[in-house]
Short mmCIF file of all heavy atoms in Angstrom, two decimals:
data_model
loop_
_atom_site.label_atom_id
_atom_site.label_comp_id
_atom_site.label_asym_id
_atom_site.label_seq_id
_atom_site.Cartn_x
_atom_site.Cartn_y
_atom_site.Cartn_z
N ALA Z 30 0.78 -1.22 -0.01
CA ALA Z 30 0.05 0.01 -0.02
C ALA Z 30 0.87 1.26 -0.02
O ALA Z 30 0.53 2.18 -0.64
CB ALA Z 30 -0.90 -0.01 1.21
N ASP Z 31 1.93 1.34 0.80
CA ASP Z 31 2.88 2.43 0.79
C ASP Z 31 3.51 2.63 -0.54
O ASP Z 31 3.68 3.78 -0.98
CB ASP Z 31 3.88 2.27 1.97
CG ASP Z 31 3.30 2.51 3.31
OD1 ASP Z 31 2.26 3.07 3.41
OD2 ASP Z 31 3.97 2.06 4.26
N ALA Z 32 3.77 1.56 -1.17
CA ALA Z 32 4.46 1.64 -2.56
C ALA Z 32 3.46 2.37 -3.50
O ALA Z 32 3.86 3.22 -4.28
CB ALA Z 32 4.94 0.28 -2.97
N VAL Z 33 2.27 1.91 -3.38
CA VAL Z 33 1.14 2.52 -4.28
C VAL Z 33 1.00 4.05 -3.95
O VAL Z 33 1.05 4.88 -4.89
CB VAL Z 33 -0.17 1.90 -4.09
CG1 VAL Z 33 -1.28 2.64 -4.75
CG2 VAL Z 33 -0.14 0.41 -4.63
N ARG Z 34 1.10 4.39 -2.70
CA ARG Z 34 0.93 5.79 -2.31
C ARG Z 34 2.13 6.67 -2.74
O ARG Z 34 1.99 7.79 -3.16
CB ARG Z 34 0.73 5.89 -0.93
CG ARG Z 34 -0.70 5.56 -0.42
CD ARG Z 34 -0.96 6.03 1.03
NE ARG Z 34 -0.28 5.07 1.94
CZ ARG Z 34 -0.91 3.99 2.51
NH1 ARG Z 34 -2.14 3.75 2.27
NH2 ARG Z 34 -0.27 3.15 3.33
N LYS Z 35 3.25 6.00 -2.71
CA LYS Z 35 4.54 6.77 -3.15
C LYS Z 35 4.45 7.07 -4.70
O LYS Z 35 4.94 8.10 -5.16
CB LYS Z 35 5.72 5.90 -2.85
CG LYS Z 35 6.18 5.82 -1.38
CD LYS Z 35 7.32 4.87 -1.15
CE LYS Z 35 7.66 4.88 0.29
NZ LYS Z 35 8.48 6.08 0.62
N LEU Z 36 3.79 6.17 -5.38
CA LEU Z 36 3.72 6.36 -6.84
C LEU Z 36 2.62 7.31 -7.21
O LEU Z 36 2.80 8.11 -8.19
CB LEU Z 36 3.50 5.01 -7.58
CG LEU Z 36 4.75 4.11 -7.57
CD1 LEU Z 36 4.33 2.65 -7.86
CD2 LEU Z 36 5.74 4.56 -8.65
N THR Z 37 1.54 7.24 -6.56
CA THR Z 37 0.36 8.06 -6.98
C THR Z 37 0.30 9.40 -6.24
O THR Z 37 -0.62 10.24 -6.60
CB THR Z 37 -0.94 7.26 -6.66
OG1 THR Z 37 -1.04 7.02 -5.16
CG2 THR Z 37 -0.93 5.94 -7.35
N GLY Z 38 1.12 9.73 -5.31
CA GLY Z 38 1.19 10.92 -4.64
C GLY Z 38 0.15 11.06 -3.49
O GLY Z 38 -0.19 12.15 -3.06
N GLY Z 39 -0.14 9.98 -2.90
CA GLY Z 39 -1.06 9.91 -1.66
C GLY Z 39 -0.32 10.14 -0.53
O GLY Z 39 0.86 10.75 -0.44
N ALA Z 40 -0.85 9.83 0.66
CA ALA Z 40 -0.16 9.95 1.89
C ALA Z 40 1.18 9.24 1.85
O ALA Z 40 1.32 8.19 1.26
CB ALA Z 40 -1.03 9.37 3.04
N ASP Z 41 2.10 9.86 2.61
CA ASP Z 41 3.50 9.26 2.67
C ASP Z 41 4.16 9.23 1.32
O ASP Z 41 4.97 8.30 1.05
CB ASP Z 41 3.38 7.91 3.28
CG ASP Z 41 2.86 7.95 4.70
OD1 ASP Z 41 3.17 8.85 5.54
OD2 ASP Z 41 2.13 6.97 5.04
N THR Z 42 3.79 10.12 0.39
CA THR Z 42 4.40 9.98 -0.88
C THR Z 42 5.88 10.42 -0.79
O THR Z 42 6.31 10.99 0.22
CB THR Z 42 3.67 10.95 -1.83
OG1 THR Z 42 4.15 10.78 -3.18
CG2 THR Z 42 3.81 12.42 -1.54
N PHE Z 43 6.57 10.19 -1.81
CA PHE Z 43 8.02 10.60 -1.83
C PHE Z 43 8.10 12.04 -2.01
O PHE Z 43 7.21 12.78 -2.70
CB PHE Z 43 8.78 9.92 -2.98
CG PHE Z 43 8.27 10.36 -4.41
CD1 PHE Z 43 8.91 11.34 -5.07
CD2 PHE Z 43 7.31 9.62 -5.04
CE1 PHE Z 43 8.48 11.72 -6.35
CE2 PHE Z 43 6.89 10.00 -6.33
CZ PHE Z 43 7.45 11.01 -6.95
N ALA Z 44 9.16 12.67 -1.59
CA ALA Z 44 9.45 14.12 -1.79
C ALA Z 44 10.69 14.24 -2.59
O ALA Z 44 11.71 13.61 -2.30
CB ALA Z 44 9.63 14.80 -0.46
N PRO Z 45 10.71 14.97 -3.72
CA PRO Z 45 11.89 15.09 -4.48
C PRO Z 45 13.09 15.68 -3.60
O PRO Z 45 12.79 16.53 -2.77
CB PRO Z 45 11.53 16.09 -5.59
CG PRO Z 45 10.05 15.95 -5.77
CD PRO Z 45 9.58 15.71 -4.38
N ARG Z 46 14.18 15.15 -3.84
CA ARG Z 46 15.37 15.49 -3.04
C ARG Z 46 15.89 16.88 -3.55
O ARG Z 46 15.99 17.09 -4.68
CB ARG Z 46 16.55 14.50 -3.22
CG ARG Z 46 16.16 13.18 -2.58
CD ARG Z 46 17.29 12.18 -2.96
NE ARG Z 46 17.07 10.83 -2.50
CZ ARG Z 46 17.79 9.81 -2.68
NH1 ARG Z 46 18.83 9.79 -3.42
NH2 ARG Z 46 17.36 8.54 -2.24
N PRO Z 47 16.12 17.83 -2.57
CA PRO Z 47 16.68 19.05 -3.05
C PRO Z 47 17.97 18.97 -3.74
O PRO Z 47 18.79 18.08 -3.39
CB PRO Z 47 16.81 19.86 -1.69
CG PRO Z 47 15.93 19.12 -0.67
CD PRO Z 47 15.93 17.76 -1.17
N ALA Z 48 18.24 19.77 -4.74
CA ALA Z 48 19.47 19.64 -5.54
C ALA Z 48 20.70 19.86 -4.65
O ALA Z 48 21.72 19.35 -4.92
CB ALA Z 48 19.47 20.64 -6.61
N THR Z 49 20.51 20.58 -3.55
CA THR Z 49 21.66 20.98 -2.68
C THR Z 49 21.88 19.88 -1.55
O THR Z 49 22.84 20.01 -0.87
CB THR Z 49 21.55 22.30 -2.08
OG1 THR Z 49 20.29 22.33 -1.24
CG2 THR Z 49 21.45 23.40 -3.07
N ALA Z 50 20.96 18.98 -1.46
CA ALA Z 50 20.99 17.93 -0.43
C ALA Z 50 22.23 17.06 -0.68
O ALA Z 50 22.48 16.57 -1.71
CB ALA Z 50 19.77 17.11 -0.36
N PRO Z 51 23.07 16.79 0.39
CA PRO Z 51 24.17 15.87 0.18
C PRO Z 51 23.75 14.47 -0.03
O PRO Z 51 22.74 14.00 0.47
CB PRO Z 51 24.95 16.04 1.50
CG PRO Z 51 23.92 16.39 2.46
CD PRO Z 51 23.01 17.34 1.76
N ALA Z 52 24.42 13.76 -0.92
CA ALA Z 52 24.18 12.37 -1.21
C ALA Z 52 24.52 11.59 0.06
O ALA Z 52 25.45 11.79 0.73
CB ALA Z 52 24.84 11.89 -2.44
N LYS Z 53 23.56 10.50 0.22
CA LYS Z 53 23.96 9.60 1.30
C LYS Z 53 25.15 8.83 1.01
O LYS Z 53 25.34 8.32 -0.10
CB LYS Z 53 22.77 8.66 1.54
CG LYS Z 53 21.49 9.33 2.07
CD LYS Z 53 20.41 8.37 2.29
CE LYS Z 53 19.17 8.98 2.87
NZ LYS Z 53 18.07 7.96 3.12
N PRO Z 54 26.06 8.68 1.97
CA PRO Z 54 27.30 7.91 1.69
C PRO Z 54 26.94 6.47 1.44
O PRO Z 54 26.13 5.85 2.07
CB PRO Z 54 28.09 8.01 3.09
CG PRO Z 54 27.08 8.34 4.06
CD PRO Z 54 26.02 9.15 3.40
N ARG Z 55 27.62 5.96 0.40
CA ARG Z 55 27.48 4.59 0.04
C ARG Z 55 28.18 3.63 0.95
O ARG Z 55 29.25 3.88 1.35
CB ARG Z 55 28.00 4.28 -1.41
CG ARG Z 55 27.90 2.90 -1.95
CD ARG Z 55 28.52 2.75 -3.30
NE ARG Z 55 29.90 3.08 -3.25
CZ ARG Z 55 30.92 2.19 -3.03
NH1 ARG Z 55 30.60 0.93 -2.78
NH2 ARG Z 55 32.18 2.58 -3.05
N LYS Z 56 27.46 2.54 1.38
CA LYS Z 56 28.12 1.62 2.12
C LYS Z 56 28.63 0.45 1.25
O LYS Z 56 27.87 -0.12 0.55
CB LYS Z 56 27.06 1.04 3.14
CG LYS Z 56 26.66 1.96 4.22
CD LYS Z 56 25.65 1.30 5.26
CE LYS Z 56 25.29 2.22 6.32
NZ LYS Z 56 24.31 1.59 7.22
N PRO Z 57 29.89 0.19 1.30
CA PRO Z 57 30.49 -0.86 0.34
C PRO Z 57 29.85 -2.20 0.66
O PRO Z 57 29.41 -2.46 1.87
CB PRO Z 57 32.02 -0.89 0.71
CG PRO Z 57 32.22 0.56 1.28
CD PRO Z 57 31.00 0.90 2.00
N PRO Z 58 29.76 -3.08 -0.29
CA PRO Z 58 29.15 -4.41 -0.09
C PRO Z 58 30.10 -5.28 0.81
O PRO Z 58 31.25 -5.04 0.87
CB PRO Z 58 29.03 -4.95 -1.51
CG PRO Z 58 30.20 -4.23 -2.26
CD PRO Z 58 30.24 -2.89 -1.74
N LYS Z 59 29.44 -6.15 1.46
CA LYS Z 59 30.12 -7.11 2.35
C LYS Z 59 30.18 -8.47 1.65
O LYS Z 59 29.24 -9.06 1.26
CB LYS Z 59 29.38 -7.24 3.65
CG LYS Z 59 29.31 -5.97 4.52
CD LYS Z 59 30.67 -5.58 5.07
CE LYS Z 59 30.51 -4.44 5.98
NZ LYS Z 59 31.87 -4.01 6.63
N VAL Z 60 31.44 -8.97 1.45
CA VAL Z 60 31.59 -10.20 0.96
C VAL Z 60 31.13 -11.27 1.91
O VAL Z 60 31.75 -11.29 3.01
CB VAL Z 60 33.08 -10.49 0.46
CG1 VAL Z 60 33.22 -11.89 -0.23
CG2 VAL Z 60 33.61 -9.44 -0.49
N PRO Z 61 30.28 -12.19 1.64
CA PRO Z 61 29.78 -13.10 2.64
C PRO Z 61 30.92 -14.03 3.07
O PRO Z 61 31.84 -14.29 2.32
CB PRO Z 61 28.69 -13.97 1.85
CG PRO Z 61 28.28 -13.05 0.76
CD PRO Z 61 29.48 -12.28 0.38
N PRO Z 62 30.90 -14.46 4.33
CA PRO Z 62 31.97 -15.37 4.82
C PRO Z 62 31.98 -16.69 4.12
O PRO Z 62 30.94 -17.18 3.81
CB PRO Z 62 31.66 -15.53 6.28
CG PRO Z 62 30.21 -15.18 6.46
CD PRO Z 62 29.92 -14.13 5.36
N ARG Z 63 33.26 -17.14 3.93
CA ARG Z 63 33.36 -18.44 3.20
C ARG Z 63 33.27 -19.58 4.24
O ARG Z 63 33.39 -19.45 5.46
CB ARG Z 63 34.75 -18.49 2.63
CG ARG Z 63 34.90 -17.68 1.35
CD ARG Z 63 36.31 -17.59 0.86
NE ARG Z 63 36.77 -18.85 0.43
CZ ARG Z 63 37.95 -19.12 -0.24
NH1 ARG Z 63 38.77 -18.03 -0.53
NH2 ARG Z 63 38.27 -20.34 -0.60
N SER Z 64 32.98 -20.78 3.70
CA SER Z 64 32.99 -22.00 4.51
C SER Z 64 33.54 -23.09 3.65
O SER Z 64 33.48 -23.04 2.41
CB SER Z 64 31.54 -22.37 5.00
OG SER Z 64 30.72 -22.69 3.85
N SER Z 65 34.03 -24.21 4.24
CA SER Z 65 34.65 -25.25 3.43
C SER Z 65 33.54 -25.83 2.57
O SER Z 65 33.89 -26.31 1.46
CB SER Z 65 35.16 -26.23 4.46
OG SER Z 65 34.22 -26.77 5.31
N ALA Z 66 32.28 -26.01 3.04
CA ALA Z 66 31.26 -26.63 2.23
C ALA Z 66 30.95 -25.72 1.02
O ALA Z 66 30.80 -26.20 -0.13
CB ALA Z 66 29.92 -26.81 3.06
N ALA Z 67 30.86 -24.40 1.20
CA ALA Z 67 30.56 -23.48 0.18
C ALA Z 67 31.69 -23.45 -0.91
O ALA Z 67 31.56 -23.36 -2.14
CB ALA Z 67 30.28 -22.09 0.62
N ASP Z 68 33.01 -23.47 -0.36
CA ASP Z 68 34.11 -23.58 -1.29
C ASP Z 68 34.08 -24.71 -2.21
O ASP Z 68 34.36 -24.73 -3.38
CB ASP Z 68 35.43 -23.64 -0.41
CG ASP Z 68 35.78 -22.37 0.21
OD1 ASP Z 68 35.03 -21.32 0.07
OD2 ASP Z 68 36.90 -22.18 0.83
N GLU Z 69 33.73 -25.89 -1.68
CA GLU Z 69 33.66 -27.17 -2.40
C GLU Z 69 32.61 -27.07 -3.47
O GLU Z 69 32.86 -27.47 -4.60
CB GLU Z 69 33.36 -28.30 -1.47
CG GLU Z 69 33.37 -29.70 -2.16
CD GLU Z 69 33.09 -30.87 -1.15
OE1 GLU Z 69 33.14 -30.63 0.03
OE2 GLU Z 69 32.94 -32.03 -1.74
N VAL Z 70 31.33 -26.58 -3.07
CA VAL Z 70 30.31 -26.50 -4.08
C VAL Z 70 30.64 -25.43 -5.14
O VAL Z 70 30.48 -25.71 -6.38
CB VAL Z 70 29.07 -26.09 -3.39
CG1 VAL Z 70 27.96 -25.80 -4.42
CG2 VAL Z 70 28.52 -27.13 -2.48
N GLY Z 71 31.25 -24.33 -4.71
CA GLY Z 71 31.56 -23.31 -5.75
C GLY Z 71 32.67 -23.70 -6.71
O GLY Z 71 32.61 -23.47 -7.95
N ARG Z 72 33.66 -24.37 -6.14
CA ARG Z 72 34.74 -24.91 -7.05
C ARG Z 72 34.19 -26.00 -7.94
O ARG Z 72 34.64 -26.03 -9.18
CB ARG Z 72 35.94 -25.45 -6.18
CG ARG Z 72 36.71 -24.32 -5.47
CD ARG Z 72 37.74 -24.93 -4.48
NE ARG Z 72 38.51 -23.98 -3.80
CZ ARG Z 72 39.15 -24.26 -2.73
NH1 ARG Z 72 39.20 -25.41 -2.21
NH2 ARG Z 72 39.87 -23.27 -2.07
N ASP Z 73 33.38 -26.82 -7.50
CA ASP Z 73 32.78 -27.95 -8.37
C ASP Z 73 32.11 -27.26 -9.52
O ASP Z 73 32.12 -27.70 -10.65
CB ASP Z 73 31.92 -28.79 -7.50
CG ASP Z 73 31.34 -29.91 -8.39
OD1 ASP Z 73 32.18 -30.75 -8.87
OD2 ASP Z 73 30.04 -30.04 -8.47
N TYR Z 74 31.26 -26.21 -9.20
CA TYR Z 74 30.51 -25.58 -10.19
C TYR Z 74 31.46 -24.96 -11.35
O TYR Z 74 31.18 -25.14 -12.53
CB TYR Z 74 29.65 -24.40 -9.61
CG TYR Z 74 29.15 -23.35 -10.55
CD1 TYR Z 74 27.94 -23.64 -11.36
CD2 TYR Z 74 29.72 -22.18 -10.75
CE1 TYR Z 74 27.51 -22.73 -12.15
CE2 TYR Z 74 29.27 -21.22 -11.62
CZ TYR Z 74 28.10 -21.43 -12.42
OH TYR Z 74 27.57 -20.54 -13.26
N LEU Z 75 32.49 -24.31 -10.92
CA LEU Z 75 33.36 -23.67 -11.85
C LEU Z 75 34.18 -24.73 -12.57
O LEU Z 75 34.53 -24.54 -13.76
CB LEU Z 75 34.31 -22.65 -11.23
CG LEU Z 75 33.51 -21.40 -10.68
CD1 LEU Z 75 34.42 -20.55 -9.79
CD2 LEU Z 75 33.11 -20.53 -11.86
#
């Protein structure tokens, strides 16, 4: 329902970001931890 409202301009709709607003800092991705089982399956696939 909130997604619909954001698109149609109803309650809780999105507000355009001011041109002067600083961009939110990006959080770099986290490489998931490895495990011996995942290593075996991944190597077998490749």
Side-chain angles (χ1 to χ4, degrees):
D31 283 342
V33 170
R34 283 191 285 266
K35 286 174 179 286
L36 288 161
T37 59
D41 300 321
T42 189
F43 66 91
R46 296 174 182 173
T49 57
K53 292 182 179 179
R55 177 182 62 90
K56 293 183 179 180
K59 297 290 186 182
V60 181
R63 290 174 60 175
S64 67
S65 56
D68 286 5
E69 182 177 351
V70 172
R72 287 172 181 163
D73 181 64
Y74 164 79
L75 290 169

